[in-house]
Amino acid sequence: MAKKQFKAESKRLLELMIHSIYTHKEIFLREIVSNASDALDKLAYLSLTDDKVGMSRSDFGIEIKLDQGARTITVTDNGIGMTKEELESNLGVIARSGSLQFKKEMEQSSSGENMDIIGQFGVGFYSAFMVSDEVTVTSRAYGSDEAWRWKSAGADGYTVEESRKDTVGTEIVMKLKEDTEEEQYGRFLDAHEISALVKKYSDYIRYPIRMEMVKHRRKDKAEGTAENAAPEWETYMETETLNSMVPIWQRPKSEVSDEEYRSFYKEKFMDYEDPAAVITVSAEGAVTYKALLFVPARAPFDFYTREFEKGLQLYSSGVLIMDKCPELLPDHFRFVRGVVDSQDLSLNISREMLQHTRGLKVISANLEKKIKAELRKLLENDRPGYERFWKAFGLQIKYGIAAEYGAHKDLLRDLLLFYSSAEEKYATLAEYVSRMKEDQKYIYYAAGDNVARLGKLPQTERLLEKGYEILYLTDEVDEFVVQILGKVEEKELKSVNDDNAVPESKEEQEKHDKQIEENRGLLDFVKETLGDKIKEARVSRKLKSHAVCMTADGPVSLEMEKYFRSLPDAAGEKLTAERVLELNPEHPAVEALRSAFETDREKAALYARVLYYQSLLMADLPIEDPAEYSRLVYELMK
């Protein structure tokens, strides 16, 4: 029997494919099982119009056999089979797919309108050579009494000869390579390994995938055996269906209980807690797909690190294509877990990636809207549940607003929560606006590292006394967020540090102008004493019981300066705030400063530096020279 050669380009493609196309060798089983599923699909579709098939969908299946002695894996299906010509055409010319040709033919008839066959490239079969020294295919086509055997040891060619097969279908026998130091091919002869691979990649193939598994059971006690005798066990073989066939996301929502969804999530994504929210999607249109998404109850330990990989599991026709497809999720919703299943995506030659992303972009945009809607529903209907979600992933929502120059702020704005001084709990921006005083112009906020410290800031005292609500911002990204948001329902977000933050009556304004005039010389002296440590000294509009506070002019706030200082890149230190030392002229300490300014300039300079250092402490800013500050305090104690 003469060996036939692959065409030159096919031979080269086979060599490249075995060594380059597939990322993981274990993919071979997914590809062989998928091809078997395609063959079953073809015969199943024919059975709809051809009574001679004599089989229903429940009669179809795939069988896997392992022979450790012979080092073979055998995959058998009772699908449509192949003639001699089809064996040579489909297996002798790489990248010629019988599945694709069959699909084209069936789509021209009414019975094939919704046909779903994933073997579109004709190369998946050759993945078997990644793990096999030799592959033998025995097939008998539907409607034929003849069977043919195709055999190949790889790129050096193949043979085709007549064979015998009692039933319609195809049997593929893969003789595994010998183990090496780099690769243990023998692991694919372990039934538990094969079972795990079927579960991972082919769990949702619509036909049963069966294999004999080793089982253990307790023997019945023989007559005369003592009651206290140790039990005896025996080993036996039992055929098991390895796959679940119908994925939970393909079942109507009305037929799936909440407990089933929760159990699926915990098993699939290895989480011990119930998800915070379950999202189901069934879409038809430009791209038809189904999705089952979950919002976890807590953030993974590596969520806010570079090592965390976002993405949803991507299936095509029940076959796992990508374990984490990042294109399906925007960064601001990167915490979502789940699966997407679509037959409308164009896969690349290895079925491990997508050829292009147009369909993927459609799905991603739709999922983004759906996730947002479900989070809003959680916020409105289960406030405690949403607040637990917020503690886990609120920072990610804020990052989403700050990213891409605020491109997503309109989408994410109403998901935000901030701690409220009035409510002493979380509040949305809309809730804050609904409680604003009739004449209130601004949404007030204070930024710092914790709520307790913010509640004691000197800058907040007069606002709180006037009955204004203040939002306490405690994350580093918060001030970037409020700058990007700008306004909410035409109400400007205003920092308590802003010079005009506290609303003033005409009388208060006139009093303030008078204080500026009376203290102009003192302010110039303080600025001269402190030099470039501050941009200027000014009479404060906001202080009441405190003598001083430190604020900032310009776009960089004190909190932003702290953030830039914390960056490992030294260039971040160059972004500093323009510091302003605000003085309360009615405070005894400032009165003492004024008195010294008029009688003892050296003492006045000491007072000015002490007040400067105190303003830094209250603003939680670093003191450049702690020893100097201590010396100044000692001087005052003399």
Side-chain angles (χ1 to χ4, degrees):
M1 176 177 45
K3 180 176 289 187
K4 300 184 179 183
Q5 297 298 311
F6 293 111
K7 289 187 177 181
E9 63 273 21
S10 294
K11 183 175 181 179
R12 177 61 180 153
L13 180 57
L14 176 58
E15 292 173 343
L16 287 172
M17 186 195 63
I18 292 173
H19 300 291
S20 304
I21 288 180
Y22 290 95
T23 308
H24 306 291
K25 286 183 169 60
E26 65 187 29
I27 293 293
F28 84 94
L29 187 65
R30 180 193 74 179
E31 294 301 309
I32 298 300
V33 168
S34 295
N35 286 344
S37 176
D38 289 347
L40 295 170
D41 276 335
K42 294 173 188 179
L43 192 55
Y45 279 110
L46 284 181
S47 70
L48 299 176
T49 55
D50 187 349
D51 295 336
K52 295 179 182 177
V53 173
M55 297 173 70
S56 63
R57 182 171 289 275
S58 61
D59 297 321
F60 296 110
I62 300 168
E63 185 179 359
I64 300 175
K65 289 184 179 180
L66 307 178
D67 188 330
Q68 294 187 352
R71 288 184 68 84
T72 60
I73 303 174
T74 302
V75 179
T76 306
D77 68 74
N78 57 345
I80 199 165
M82 289 177 280
T83 63
K84 177 184 179 183
E85 292 74 20
E86 288 170 333
L87 276 171
E88 294 203 42
S89 176
N90 295 338
L91 304 187
V93 181
I94 300 176
R96 175 184 175 86
S97 171
S99 294
L100 181 59
Q101 180 63 31
F102 183 84
K103 183 176 183 180
K104 288 179 179 178
E105 292 172 359
M106 292 299 292
E107 283 176 345
Q108 295 173 6
S109 67
S110 60
S111 62
E113 287 179 356
N114 297 315
M115 195 164 194
D116 175 15
I117 292 179
I118 63 175
Q120 298 182 16
F121 296 97
V123 298
F125 164 76
Y126 295 93
S127 63
F129 287 101
M130 292 191 299
V131 299
S132 308
D133 281 331
E134 183 180 82
V135 179
T136 303
V137 181
T138 305
S139 191
R140 174 180 163 185
Y142 168 72
S144 173
D145 294 329
E146 296 179 338
W148 295 89
R149 177 173 295 149
W150 181 99
K151 181 182 290 188
S152 174
D156 63 335
Y158 63 93
T159 60
V160 180
E161 62 180 336
E162 192 170 0
S163 183
R164 290 189 58 185
K165 195 172 187 305
D166 295 334
T167 58
V168 169
T170 300
E171 176 189 85
I172 299 176
V173 180
M174 294 161 280
K175 183 174 178 56
L176 297 184
K177 297 177 180 180
E178 294 298 323
D179 294 344
T180 66
E181 290 185 4
E182 294 77 24
E183 188 66 50
Q184 297 295 310
Y185 296 100
R187 66 190 174 98
F188 297 120
L189 294 170
D190 180 84
H192 294 290
E193 175 79 8
I194 294 298
S195 177
L197 291 179
V198 169
K199 195 74 177 174
K200 178 178 180 179
Y201 292 107
S202 307
D203 195 36
Y204 307 118
I205 291 287
R206 69 192 77 188
Y207 306 100
I209 303 170
R210 303 184 182 97
M211 184 174 69
E212 280 197 338
M213 300 288 289
V214 176
K215 300 285 185 178
H216 303 281
R217 62 189 172 196
R218 189 171 177 172
K219 282 185 177 182
D220 293 333
K221 288 184 177 180
E223 289 186 16
T225 304
E227 284 296 326
N228 60 352
E232 294 185 18
W233 297 82
E234 63 179 351
T235 299
Y236 68 102
M237 303 299 291
E238 181 176 286
T239 300
E240 257 189 34
T241 298
L242 306 180
N243 58 324
S244 58
M245 291 178 278
V246 180
I248 192 171
W249 60 83
Q250 293 287 3
R251 293 161 55 188
K253 187 177 179 180
S254 59
E255 297 179 7
V256 184
S257 68
D258 292 342
E259 181 56 38
E260 286 179 295
Y261 281 134
R262 290 192 291 264
S263 296
F264 172 81
Y265 165 75
K266 287 190 279 191
E267 179 181 349
K268 185 77 169 177
F269 299 104
M270 293 178 289
D271 195 348
Y272 62 86
E273 289 188 52
D274 290 339
V278 179
I279 306 169
T280 58
V281 184
S282 180
E284 295 183 2
V287 180
T288 298
Y289 67 95
K290 291 183 184 294
L292 178 57
L293 311 180
F294 302 91
V295 177
R298 60 183 176 86
F301 71 93
D302 62 343
F303 182 71
Y304 290 107
T305 69
R306 293 181 179 179
E307 286 69 35
F308 181 81
E309 294 181 70
K310 72 169 184 177
L312 302 176
Q313 289 192 335
L314 179 63
Y315 287 79
S316 180
S317 309
V319 177
L320 180 64
I321 303 302
M322 295 180 70
D323 188 52
K324 289 183 179 177
C325 181
E327 291 86 356
L328 286 169
L329 283 176
D331 272 353
H332 43 271
F333 291 150
R334 67 203 294 260
F335 49 81
V336 173
R337 312 292 300 274
V339 299
V340 173
D341 194 342
S342 175
Q343 63 191 58
D344 290 347
L345 299 175
S346 298
L347 308 178
N348 76 346
I349 195 170
S350 70
R351 292 203 287 230
E352 290 186 276
M353 292 176 287
L354 305 174
Q355 282 187 303
H356 59 82
T357 59
R358 185 188 65 82
L360 216 59
K361 287 179 179 177
V362 172
I363 295 175
S364 179
N366 291 342
L367 292 181
E368 182 182 45
K369 293 175 185 176
K370 185 68 174 178
I371 294 167
K372 159 67 184 299
E374 290 296 324
L375 290 176
R376 279 292 303 171
K377 187 185 299 183
L378 183 65
L379 173 61
E380 293 165 3
N381 300 332
D382 181 7
R383 187 58 172 260
Y386 187 81
E387 291 186 5
R388 287 192 295 272
F389 155 77
W390 183 256
K391 288 176 182 177
F393 300 109
L395 191 58
Q396 188 61 40
I397 302 296
K398 293 177 181 179
Y399 285 148
I401 288 179
E404 299 179 52
Y405 305 100
H408 310 290
K409 67 177 183 179
D410 292 335
L411 175 81
L412 301 174
R413 180 190 292 114
D414 53 354
L415 295 177
L416 290 169
L417 290 182
F418 296 107
Y419 192 87
S420 162
S421 66
E423 297 292 303
E424 296 187 347
K425 62 182 180 181
Y426 283 119
T428 67
L429 292 171
E431 289 167 347
Y432 181 104
V433 171
S434 71
R435 295 192 291 263
M436 287 176 67
K437 292 177 175 293
E438 190 173 338
D439 60 345
Q440 186 175 340
K441 295 180 179 179
Y442 308 119
I443 298 172
Y444 295 109
Y445 70 87
D449 58 359
N450 66 72
V451 169
R453 186 188 296 273
L454 289 173
K456 297 176 182 177
L457 278 179
Q459 299 93 307
T460 65
E461 194 170 14
R462 287 189 65 195
L463 280 170
L464 293 173
E465 183 184 59
K466 288 176 177 286
Y468 291 109
E469 183 175 358
I470 301 174
L471 297 177
Y472 293 151
L473 281 53
T474 55
D475 289 322
E476 290 177 339
V477 72
D478 281 339
E479 286 209 86
F480 298 97
V481 169
V482 295
Q483 286 199 10
I484 286 171
L485 290 176
K487 293 183 178 181
V488 176
E489 298 183 26
E490 300 307 313
K491 298 293 185 179
E492 182 183 347
L493 287 148
K494 178 75 71 175
S495 171
V496 297
N497 290 318
D498 284 8
D499 192 42
N500 62 346
V502 182
E504 292 181 327
S505 65
K506 183 179 179 180
E507 292 76 13
E508 288 173 325
Q509 178 64 52
E510 290 174 351
K511 179 181 177 182
H512 182 260
D513 292 342
K514 184 180 178 182
Q515 288 174 333
I516 293 176
E517 197 61 38
E518 292 174 346
N519 291 280
R520 192 174 300 280
L522 177 64
L523 297 174
D524 291 342
F525 171 77
V526 171
K527 164 59 180 166
E528 181 182 344
T529 300
L530 297 176
D532 60 5
K533 295 181 186 298
I534 60 171
K535 177 186 176 184
E536 68 172 301
R538 67 171 61 137
V539 173
S540 179
R541 298 176 182 271
K542 54 185 78 76
L543 294 175
K544 184 184 178 186
S545 64
H546 291 79
V548 290
C549 70
M550 184 67 74
T551 58
D553 270 354
V556 180
S557 69
L558 296 177
E559 290 305 311
M560 288 181 180
E561 178 182 316
K562 293 177 194 176
Y563 170 72
F564 289 123
R565 282 180 179 273
S566 71
L567 297 176
D569 184 358
E573 296 179 5
K574 298 177 182 178
L575 292 170
T576 57
E578 295 181 322
R579 298 182 179 184
V580 175
L581 180 63
E582 297 195 17
L583 304 174
N584 178 2
E586 298 178 350
H587 194 279
V590 178
E591 290 177 354
L593 170 64
R594 186 187 304 109
S595 177
F597 169 67
E598 294 171 354
T599 60
D600 185 347
R601 294 294 176 92
E602 186 176 338
K603 186 177 227 181
L606 185 151
Y607 286 166
R609 288 195 289 271
V610 168
L611 290 173
Y612 166 73
Y613 282 124
Q614 288 178 338
S615 72
L616 294 180
L617 287 171
M618 286 187 289
D620 196 28
L621 290 167
I623 294 179
E624 303 97 325
D625 191 347
E628 167 68 6
Y629 176 55
S630 298
R631 187 187 67 77
L632 293 173
V633 173
Y634 298 155
E635 285 292 319
L636 291 175
M637 296 175 67
K638 286 181 178 179

